[in-house]
């Protein structure tokens, strides 16, 4: 799993119907920014743990997403 | 999920039968161009959100594709 | 999905029994050569579209392959 | 599978409910640090074998994790 | 699928119970060494074909492995 820092969010009016209601955060990981669905409630500046691939989709009720925030690291964590 | 910009499309007369009817866009992401199935209706210049892997295939009715456009980002998005 | 150019093929006498009958092509993609199962009939010099991961395995009747040629791009394509 | 060395652990109070009870280790692999669930009992300094992707999730009772320690290499190993 | 050359093996006394009996080889591929389960009988110096991800796990009876040797290339192959 990757550790990254939330830097913002993205918005899309035109999207797959099954993405309705998902929140998408931009997360900076070591090899650049990726977009992840968030159901944990992370905000800008939070260091988060990401699950990727089919695992992320399952966690998001099978929505077509391939990255999801699954935890917010405690400030002292690492 | 990756953010990229649509730069064109590809055409293939000889292909897997189950790909019939799929539209394939060339999308420039940070680490180069990738080809993604599109069912959202993106066009050249659009910034899009891509789902990859098995997730993309499921979203495309189990077609043998490993990348799909799932959203078109709003112009001000990021 | 990746675009690549077929540069040759590989042969293996000793292999998983379930790979019997599969054709394996060497395909040069942007980040180096990969080997892909081919059921479309591609030849050396063809520009092809590859599906990777579990998606490729399903397309090849669940054989243990993680890359497959799913389309041959039309010459003018891109 | 990747070989890496355990360098620490991460803690997260706010996380997906289904991650309760999982231990997360920071493991340095060749291309940087990744976080992996551990059910084998690895400690700092151990060289470990990681499984990634859906495979790791299944091994961890379908928790939303995409990397797991599956073995601790014997000191003389490699 | 990746082509690599077997350079050795790794041993792990402490491991997931379901990995009992699996042989793990170190295989040098273009982007570094990876560890793969072997059920084909490859040895040091053999050039092999690797399947990765969930595909490899299925091939190894759902063991928590994400890379497997599925073929040994014929010496003249490539």
């Amino acid at each position: 799993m990757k550790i990254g820092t939330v830097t913002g969010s993205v918005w899309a009016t035109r999207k797959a119907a099954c993405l309705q209601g998902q929140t998408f955060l931009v997360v900076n990981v070591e090899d650049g920014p990726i977009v992840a669905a968030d159901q944990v409630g992370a905000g800008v500046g939070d260091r988060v743990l990401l699950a990727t691939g089919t695992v992320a989709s399952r966690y998001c009720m099978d929505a077509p997403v391939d990255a999801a925030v699954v935890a917010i690291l405690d400030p002292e964590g690492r």
Side-chain angles (χ1 to χ4, degrees), chain A:
Chain A
M1 310 175 88
K2 288 172 177 167
I3 292 178
T5 303
V6 179
T7 62
S9 55
V10 293
W11 300 93
T13 306
R14 295 159 64 196
K15 61 189 158 193
C18 44
L19 289 181
Q20 216 63 41
Q22 295 276 356
T23 301
F24 290 107
L25 299 179
V26 181
V27 181
N28 260 329
V29 296
E30 213 169 46
D31 42 328
I34 71 172
V35 174
D38 176 39
Q39 303 190 343
V40 180
V44 171
D46 280 343
R47 287 179 73 232
V48 296
L49 205 53
L50 299 175
T52 57
T54 303
V55 172
S57 180
R58 270 195 216 144
Y59 173 60
C60 296
M61 286 148 289
D62 288 321
V65 304
D66 63 16
V69 174
V70 295
I72 302 171
L73 297 186
D74 292 350
E76 71 272 43
R78 180 149 195 173

